[in-house]
Amino acid sequence: MAMRETIKESIFVFILFLFLAGTASAQQTKIHGTVTSSKTGKSLPAVNIGVPGTSQGTTTNAKGKYTLTVPSGHNTLVFSYIGYKKQKIKINGRSVINVTLKPVTIHGQKLVVVGYGKQQERDITGSISSVSGSEVSKVPTSSALTGLEGKVAGVNITPSGGAPNSQPIVRIRGVGTLNNASPLYVVDGTLTNNISFLNPDNIKSFSILKDASAEAIYGSRGANGVIIITTKHGRPGHHSVSAHAYYGVQRVSHEINMANARQFAMLANESRKNAGGQPAFQNPSQFGKGTDWQQVIFDNMAPKENYTLSASGGNKNYVYDISGSYFKQNGVVRGSGYQRVSLRLNNKYFLSDHVTVGHNISFNYNDQNNAPGNLAYEALKADPTLKPRNKNGGFTNTSKNGGDGNPAAELAYNHNHGFGYRTVGNAFIKIDFLKNLQLKSSFNLDFKRHQNKNFNPVYYVSPIQQNRHNSLTVMDNNHTNWYSRNTLRYKNNWKGSRLKVKGGLIFQKTRYETLGGRRINFPGSAPNLYFLNAGQTQGQTNTNTSHSSGKLSYFIRTNYSYKNRYLVTATFRADGSSRFGPENRFGYFPSLALGWRLSQEPFFNVPAINNLKFRASYGEVGNDKINSNAAIPLVNSGLDYVFGQNQQVVPGATITALANPGLQWEVNKQLNVGLNLGLFNNRFQAKLDYYHKKTSKILTTVPIPPHVGAGAPVVNAASVLNRGFDLNVSWQDHVGNFTYNIKFTGSTVHNEVLSLGKNQNKILSGNRRNLGFTTRTAPGHPIGSFYGYKIIGVIQNKQQLKNTPTLNGEKVGDNIFADTNGDGSITPADKVYLGSPIPKFTAGLNLSVGYKNLDLSASFNSQFGNKILNARRAARGFRLLNYPARFLKRWHGPGTSHFQPRLTEGSNYHTDQFLQSGNFVKLHNIQLGYTFPAGVTNTLQVSHIRVYVDAENPFTITNYTGYSPQIANNNVIATGIDDTPYPIASTYTFGVQLKF
């Protein structure tokens, strides 16, 4: 803790030092004036005015007026405003400078980051969405992906839980594989599988590649979509120092309404009676509200804070961007938390007019305390008639009435700590020669190491909650991914034609190793003993695994434009992967995209339409996300057996899983048709895409006879279809001092399994507690569909029971199972498709308004058409576990309920009574900010000061009864199952942004 506090103090001192250094000034000249629009003649508020080569700057007030102090030796002012042409004005000794800005149509001129390069927006033929980093970093969070929720059509971002530093699950245009369906992330050219190391304040822009034409240049890595992230960099002549600090508190967004002590005792007695047993409580009315176990484990004032400091600038010889940050978050589950210290250095050096070298290096150290697994679920089950501690101060035995362990004790005896570091970066050289040629070579590295120590002390709470021998488990994980890219680019313009050709050669190597061990009987429980050598050697265990893979790839891409009207993009990439056998190591992935800007045709004359572009593309990409050794038979040791008359243990080894040297690439074939529309001087913009994506040769396992004696091999068997529409619509305008922006995104997806291969018609998964398999992946239905019995009511009386087919001796008050095949009995043949965890429609709405120095923004996201399995509702068994308050509406007599059956000890069958609608509309973020006027900033000699208050996840409109309707995991055939994960938090934050 001392080290952490020292780090915080050092950062504050550094910020203070830069602030004081920025207040020093030389001889200065004060200039004032008014900025107006040449189109309207009215004054323009919030125009940026800066002095090149310095950090001096200001903005116009609501009346378009400004005052700026200019250091001696500087004779130029720069005026810039969104939608208007930038102007450079010479001072020439004047003290009053009035400026008129001219509007400019900016649509299509913006540079958008694409695979291994940039393109003007007007030339893009594929389906690519671009989001500015400032729009995303507005949400004060540790994960940059959280800020993307609801902002990009076709991209569904779902929290994997609310634990500190938990990373969202991202799906781009549905689920197209039975394996890892996560997208590829490219950070300044470095390919990686996650971006947990990134500070959102460092991000300049996101580009999301959604169709095969845009993804094909990444070949096998782009099968699930690509998210390209560009970080901030310096500019020659613009030196600045920025600081951003915020502090917030968190609370559980939605606590589950449970029965209180009196209600629980009453329901428990009723359940025992229905089971033919004796009452558990003699007098339920003696209890009041009892213990709210959620309040015992939750901290509804959990703090979250962040401090970021950055400096950028440059001259004709180099540019730089340096930043450091400290982030700390206490979890809403007591005892959990996360800290991260990040440093980043992004520099370029211009050695000559033709040679540029540079590097972009990010380093972070993280430290995390993990909450006990499923602690929230344990709290929901706990007996509310008991207190966390007894009269002697010890932990109460909460199992004496038939319940589970004490959640407070589980929290107190938890010592699960992880820490590690990660370095992500690249170094490059770029050479421009022969006028139109450019050679660029880069080396990229992603290295991370993480160690976790889990100490379990000696304790006794009850017979089912005790530990007789303390123990320590240590796991050390190392992951190295290096990547070398070499590209040659040619570009030329002539007679209305623009041509750009880029080719490349890529080498990649990935290696992962884990080393772990466990010992017991440590001499104490102090943290300085959390090392394996301090424990008993007898009975120690260890594990050490490793796997590696490599790739060799080459590609070529051609972009051609004729008179800015006719656009062509053609790409071809070949990927060779060591995960396949020698015969099928290489996969070949082509794509072609065409575009027609109808609005640029001479015959097109519709004044209201500023931009109308049609796009069409078709392409193929591959996927090799399987075990590194699936094509190679591996012998596993440690399989000892007893042989001989003396019954001696003989060491053994054998092949435990069959290999398939004939494995081939998964192939994703995608068609995309779209249009771009801009109206009314591009104040209104829309983008509509239709996509049809079929994945074939999906890598999966198929059943083999048990007598083979080994696991099933991976084969190319399945095929899956995803199709749907993506829509982006926006409107931006201003009325006097009032500006506003409205953006809507909407996406549909139809997911369907087409085949699973020879001799396989289903894949069962989602085995949960006493329900058995809950999901079924089968042709004709979505991946991971829920499958089971339908419930059509509750048996109200003996006469109805007599006329109702039963499954397992149901009684009056139990569920009525649907006889779906009409044979007059209930059997497994009556199981049917019950719904899909994949949303059919997702949408986002983003609003922003500004008036004078105030700004207000809000973002909403939603999903519809999916189901969630509330697994907690099914897990009861023969124990007294607390009930959700909705059980008060159970059947307890004829006519009392037609949907909630009588209380029993639980169900052994998966039915749709455990499924709930996943529909929701959520206010993801709302923020109110105030930018201090020029008079204040000039007095303080600070170019920009903004303060804001922010609320993240303040409310969700849903009928789902769990902590959150946003449920997902990386197992695509068993997702949408709510096992009561770490609850999602609502966060309320105050922040300050400074620029010197």
Side-chain angles (χ1 to χ4, degrees):
M1 292 300 294
M3 183 192 74
R4 300 169 189 165
E5 295 302 321
T6 302
I7 291 173
K8 292 171 63 177
E9 293 172 0
S10 300
I11 292 173
F12 279 120
V13 171
F14 189 29
I15 294 174
L16 181 60
F17 170 78
L18 289 172
F19 179 84
L20 294 175
T23 61
S25 62
Q27 295 179 352
Q28 301 169 336
T29 302
K30 183 170 289 187
I31 298 173
H32 63 90
T34 304
V35 182
T36 57
S37 167
S38 64
K39 180 179 179 181
T40 64
K42 297 180 180 179
S43 60
L44 293 175
V47 175
N48 291 309
I49 306 156
V51 181
T54 74
S55 61
Q56 294 293 99
T58 188
T59 58
T60 56
N61 62 17
K63 296 181 179 180
K65 296 184 180 297
Y66 74 94
T67 300
L68 178 63
T69 301
V70 180
S72 62
H74 294 271
N75 193 41
T76 305
L77 297 180
V78 177
F79 295 78
S80 61
Y81 189 62
I82 296 176
Y84 287 79
K85 186 177 180 180
K86 182 186 293 186
Q87 285 197 40
K88 291 184 177 181
I89 304 294
K90 295 293 184 181
I91 298 174
N92 294 333
R94 292 177 292 174
S95 61
V96 178
I97 298 179
N98 298 318
V99 176
T100 300
L101 297 182
K102 296 179 180 179
V104 60
T105 301
I106 61 173
H107 181 78
Q109 307 303 315
K110 182 176 69 172
L111 284 176
V112 176
V113 177
V114 297
Y116 304 127
K118 296 180 180 180
Q119 268 187 293
Q120 287 189 339
E121 191 176 39
R122 66 185 180 188
D123 294 338
I124 290 178
T125 52
S127 182
I128 300 177
S129 295
S130 181
V131 181
S132 69
S134 59
E135 188 175 351
V136 171
S137 63
K138 183 175 290 186
V139 181
T141 180
S142 65
S143 173
L145 292 172
T146 302
L148 274 180
E149 277 192 55
K151 290 183 170 61
V152 183
V155 180
N156 189 19
I157 299 177
T158 306
S160 59
N165 196 43
S166 59
Q167 298 300 305
I169 305 298
V170 181
R171 297 288 179 259
I172 297 179
R173 290 185 166 178
V175 179
T177 181
L178 302 181
N179 301 295
N180 188 338
S182 298
L184 168 69
Y185 301 96
V186 183
V187 182
D188 293 321
T190 299
L191 279 60
T192 182
N193 293 326
N194 73 76
I195 56 171
S196 60
F197 66 95
L198 266 182
N199 177 5
D201 281 331
N202 292 334
I203 296 175
K204 181 182 180 183
S205 68
F206 289 84
S207 287
I208 297 90
L209 315 186
K210 297 184 289 185
D211 75 325
S213 169
E215 300 162 355
I217 199 167
Y218 290 105
S220 64
R221 302 298 300 273
N224 299 317
V226 182
I227 298 179
I228 303 177
I229 299 167
T230 303
T231 61
K232 295 176 180 178
H233 54 80
R235 293 184 298 161
H238 292 78
H239 298 273
S240 66
V241 175
S242 300
H244 181 199
Y246 64 76
Y247 182 90
V249 294
Q250 308 158 90
R251 62 179 303 275
V252 176
S253 296
H254 166 71
E255 291 191 7
I256 297 174
N257 188 16
M258 302 296 293
N260 61 33
R262 179 184 59 80
Q263 294 166 340
F264 165 72
M266 176 190 68
L267 296 174
N269 284 352
E270 186 175 319
S271 177
R272 286 282 177 90
K273 179 182 178 181
N274 291 338
Q278 297 298 315
F281 301 95
Q282 296 301 318
N283 183 19
S285 61
Q286 68 178 311
F287 301 108
K289 291 184 178 181
T291 300
D292 184 343
W293 288 97
Q294 292 179 92
Q295 292 299 314
V296 172
I297 68 165
F298 292 152
D299 179 2
N300 281 324
M301 288 293 288
K304 181 168 76 171
E305 56 190 303
N306 181 78
Y307 309 95
T308 299
L309 183 65
S310 61
S312 66
N315 55 34
K316 64 179 182 179
N317 298 318
Y318 65 90
V319 293
Y320 66 92
D321 191 291
I322 306 170
S323 68
S325 68
Y326 172 75
F327 175 85
K328 180 182 179 182
Q329 179 182 8
N330 286 8
V332 291
V333 174
R334 299 182 190 277
S336 61
Y338 174 76
Q339 295 183 85
R340 181 182 66 202
V341 177
S342 303
L343 299 173
R344 191 180 68 92
L345 183 63
N346 187 358
N347 287 15
K348 292 180 182 179
Y349 309 93
F350 309 112
L351 303 184
S352 71
D353 292 339
H354 304 286
V355 180
T356 302
V357 297
H359 54 78
N360 189 339
I361 302 171
S362 174
F363 172 83
N364 80 62
Y365 174 83
N366 58 81
D367 186 294
Q368 185 157 2
N369 289 319
N370 302 300
N374 271 347
L375 185 64
Y377 174 62
E378 299 298 327
L380 295 177
K381 295 189 300 180
D383 186 340
T385 66
L386 301 174
K387 295 181 179 180
R389 291 182 180 270
N390 55 37
K391 295 180 180 180
N392 299 324
F395 289 107
T396 302
N397 175 7
T398 56
S399 65
K400 63 182 182 181
N401 291 329
D404 278 350
N406 187 324
E410 188 172 352
L411 190 61
Y413 294 129
N414 176 66
H415 305 281
N416 191 338
H417 178 229
F419 56 93
Y421 56 86
R422 185 174 180 184
T423 299
V424 180
N426 65 75
F428 71 88
I429 180 170
K430 182 173 64 175
I431 304 173
D432 295 286
F433 62 100
L434 298 181
K435 186 179 178 180
N436 296 320
L437 287 174
Q438 182 187 91
L439 175 66
K440 186 175 182 179
S441 181
S442 67
F443 180 82
N444 304 264
L445 176 68
D446 183 356
F447 174 77
K448 57 183 174 183
R449 180 185 180 189
H450 185 82
Q451 186 177 103
N452 196 87
K453 294 185 176 183
N454 188 359
F455 184 80
N456 197 9
V458 174
Y459 62 85
Y460 182 90
V461 179
S462 68
I464 68 169
Q465 190 177 16
Q466 61 172 303
N467 187 48
R468 295 183 179 181
H469 304 279
N470 62 23
S471 64
L472 174 68
T473 302
V474 178
M475 294 297 295
D476 195 287
N477 300 296
N478 291 274
H479 181 268
T480 303
N481 176 32
W482 66 261
Y483 173 80
S484 175
R485 185 180 77 233
N486 307 277
T487 61
L488 181 65
R489 187 200 70 187
Y490 171 81
K491 67 176 182 178
N492 202 358
N493 302 334
W494 72 96
K495 296 181 180 179
S497 294
R498 287 185 287 114
L499 175 67
K500 183 186 293 185
V501 182
K502 176 171 284 191
L505 178 65
I506 299 169
F507 307 91
Q508 183 178 358
K509 183 75 172 180
T510 301
R511 185 175 186 275
Y512 177 84
E513 181 176 3
T514 179
L515 175 65
R518 180 179 183 272
R519 287 189 181 183
I520 65 173
N521 290 336
F522 288 73
S525 59
N528 61 356
L529 294 174
Y530 292 178
F531 297 94
L532 292 176
N533 278 349
Q536 175 182 300
T537 58
Q538 184 178 359
Q540 66 180 339
T541 60
N542 60 70
T543 178
N544 188 203
T545 61
S546 175
H547 63 81
S548 62
S549 62
K551 286 190 179 72
L552 170 65
S553 310
Y554 53 89
F555 69 87
I556 184 169
R557 179 179 64 198
T558 301
N559 297 104
Y560 176 74
S561 170
Y562 181 67
K563 293 186 176 180
N564 294 327
R565 296 199 292 268
Y566 312 112
L567 312 169
V568 180
T569 301
T571 306
F572 177 81
R573 174 156 171 156
D575 276 311
S577 173
S578 65
R579 297 184 178 185
F580 300 105
E583 299 297 323
N584 300 302
R585 187 148 287 169
F586 272 87
Y588 303 96
F589 310 109
S591 74
L592 177 67
L594 304 174
W596 178 31
R597 298 185 70 202
L598 177 60
S599 56
Q600 294 299 107
E601 293 286 0
F603 60 80
F604 189 87
N605 186 20
V606 182
I609 300 178
N610 309 108
N611 180 55
L612 179 59
K613 179 171 70 174
F614 295 96
R615 297 174 283 107
S617 69
Y618 175 82
E620 300 179 4
V621 289
N623 190 3
D624 69 339
K625 293 183 178 180
I626 55 173
N627 188 290
S628 299
N629 305 308
I632 305 172
L634 296 180
V635 175
N636 288 335
S637 61
L639 303 174
D640 303 341
Y641 204 78
V642 177
F643 285 101
Q645 294 181 350
N646 296 327
Q647 296 291 289
Q648 292 181 339
V649 177
V650 179
T654 188
I655 296 174
T656 56
L658 299 181
N660 180 6
L663 283 177
Q664 301 179 32
W665 290 83
E666 282 188 11
V667 179
N668 182 325
K669 301 178 180 180
Q670 187 173 170
L671 170 71
N672 190 93
V673 180
L675 67 86
N676 295 55
L677 178 65
L679 304 175
F680 314 121
N681 199 27
N682 287 312
R683 288 176 293 175
F684 173 86
Q685 295 186 36
K687 183 188 295 184
L688 176 65
D689 286 87
Y690 168 77
Y691 64 92
H692 185 281
K693 180 170 65 172
K694 179 182 177 182
T695 308
S696 57
K697 299 181 181 179
I698 291 178
L699 297 158
T700 185
T701 57
V702 295
I704 59 175
H707 65 261
V708 174
V714 177
V715 298
N716 296 97
S719 60
V720 172
L721 170 68
N722 288 275
R723 67 169 183 263
F725 291 91
D726 293 341
L727 174 65
N728 291 269
V729 178
S730 67
W731 174 272
Q732 58 180 349
D733 201 357
H734 69 90
V735 180
N737 295 324
F738 180 78
T739 61
Y740 63 96
N741 194 330
I742 304 171
K743 295 181 181 179
F744 172 81
T745 63
S747 308
T748 67
V749 61
H750 169 83
N751 179 272
E752 181 182 350
V753 178
L754 301 178
S755 66
L756 288 177
K758 187 178 180 180
N759 300 324
Q760 180 160 271
N761 60 6
K762 63 182 181 297
I763 299 175
L764 301 178
S765 189
N767 195 347
R768 286 304 183 272
R769 301 188 176 102
N770 53 322
L771 295 183
F773 293 112
T774 60
T775 70
R776 183 175 184 263
T777 299
H781 295 291
I783 292 175
S785 296
F786 296 115
Y787 187 77
Y789 296 100
K790 287 187 68 67
I791 299 300
I792 56 176
V794 175
I795 303 172
Q796 298 295 321
N797 50 55
K798 292 184 178 180
Q799 182 61 40
Q800 187 180 15
L801 174 62
K802 183 178 180 180
N803 299 321
T804 299
T806 60
L807 177 63
N808 190 27
E810 281 73 35
K811 300 178 180 179
V812 174
D814 289 335
N815 285 320
I816 302 174
F817 292 85
D819 180 14
T820 58
N821 62 5
D823 64 357
S825 61
I826 305 299
T827 68
D830 290 303
K831 291 183 178 181
V832 294
Y833 166 75
L834 299 176
S836 168
I838 302 174
K840 295 179 180 178
F841 178 70
T842 58
L845 178 64
N846 297 275
L847 310 172
S848 62
V849 297
Y851 180 73
K852 296 184 178 180
N853 291 30
L854 286 170
D855 61 88
L856 176 66
S857 62
S859 62
F860 298 82
N861 64 301
S862 59
Q863 69 180 30
F864 303 92
N866 66 303
K867 295 291 186 180
I868 300 172
L869 170 59
N870 194 335
R872 175 178 50 83
R873 301 174 67 177
R876 300 207 64 80
F878 299 96
R879 297 168 296 166
L880 287 183
L881 309 178
N882 198 14
Y883 299 86
R886 61 180 177 79
F887 274 76
L888 295 172
K889 299 180 180 180
R890 82 282 178 209
W891 186 94
H892 53 282
T896 53
S897 176
H898 293 274
F899 60 90
Q900 183 68 49
R902 70 190 180 108
L903 295 178
T904 61
E905 301 294 346
S907 171
N908 293 319
Y909 308 105
H910 180 220
T911 70
D912 59 353
Q913 70 173 337
F914 304 125
L915 296 176
Q916 293 181 266
S917 169
N919 297 350
F920 73 85
V921 176
K922 181 177 77 171
L923 175 56
H924 174 51
N925 181 261
I926 184 168
Q927 186 174 113
L928 176 65
Y930 177 77
T931 301
F932 284 81
V936 176
T937 57
N938 287 339
T939 300
L940 297 174
Q941 297 193 23
V942 177
S943 61
H944 176 83
I945 304 177
R946 179 177 178 266
V947 296
Y948 65 87
V949 289
D950 181 276
E952 182 185 355
N953 300 325
F955 69 82
T956 300
I957 301 173
T958 182
N959 289 325
Y960 183 64
T961 59
Y963 281 118
S964 170
Q966 292 185 282
I967 300 294
N969 59 57
N970 277 317
N971 184 357
V972 298
I973 62 173
T975 192
I977 300 176
D978 184 356
D979 280 316
T980 317
Y982 195 115
I984 292 174
S986 297
T987 308
Y988 304 91
T989 306
F990 172 77
V992 181
Q993 296 168 316
L994 303 173
K995 192 171 183 179
F996 305 96

